[in-house]
Amino acid sequence: MGHQGNRSHHRGERQISPVFIGIFAVMAVTGWAVWTGYSTSTGLAVFLFVTAAWIVSLCLHEYAHARTALHSGDLSVGAKGYLTLNPMAYSHAVLSFVLPVLFIIIGGIGLPGGAVYIERGRIQGRWKHSLISAAGPLTNVAFAVVCTAPFWLHALEGVPGPFRLALAFLALLQVTAAILNFLPVPGLDGYGVIEPWLSYGIRRQVEPLAPFGLIAVFALLWIPEVNRFFFDAVYGLLDSVGVTDLEAHCGRELYTFWRDEGGFFCATPLG
């Protein structure tokens, strides 16, 4: 009876949350509405589709951290609810979900989230620690690959224009999130990748800076020259897989439909 109780307990810890299923369903339904043109407001449908898909990617990002930690020795992630894909189970839900959504609305940039607490003391081996940190942004890379697949596979024939633009903007978000996350800045996953390989003294000195790392990155992005360099790199990566600047830009304009700033070029069907 005890063993059966433990097994059911573990299944409960890893059962997909109805909250995540609901968000995924919104993504699927609104994606269908964008594809078919069923919605009376294409912009609203794109907004809901991209936002839901972005939240799904955030959930998968955090899940990747937790799942990798589980297999590396931290069994506590299950009890914390991190394996259910439930965004409400994460600490700092504002940091991990509310702020990222606000940032794509106001700035069109994929803000890295950070919500799972890994008990690092349970994990042995520097490679495991690095892999746990890398697992999250690698999920964003995978999501970007999926979003851009129709472009680099030259399989856009028959893909409706609004859906194509929504994919382009979603790919932009995933690429920005991956790049920002991989920066070796304290508090971001990129620093978590290299941290196990640094000396104890350096880690102690850098540790107090972790809460300010993300703030510093976004302060730098407000500098026009830095912002231009960053987005040139992002658009360069997108262009290398067949997503043009115009498609990503028009996807963002379609997403922020209430602004109605698309102009002639975005109002004209692409392809």
Side-chain angles (χ1 to χ4, degrees), residues 82-127:
Y82 296 160
L83 301 177
T84 65
L85 289 164
N86 181 2
M88 307 309 293
Y90 301 128
S91 301
H92 300 306
V94 171
L95 176 64
S96 293
F97 295 96
V98 178
L99 282 182
V101 171
L102 284 177
F103 264 84
I104 66 173
I105 291 173
I106 65 176
I109 190 169
L111 173 74
V116 295
Y117 284 108
I118 308 300
E119 296 186 19
R120 296 280 182 169
R122 295 172 176 259
I123 299 162
Q124 302 298 317
R126 289 182 292 185
W127 281 108

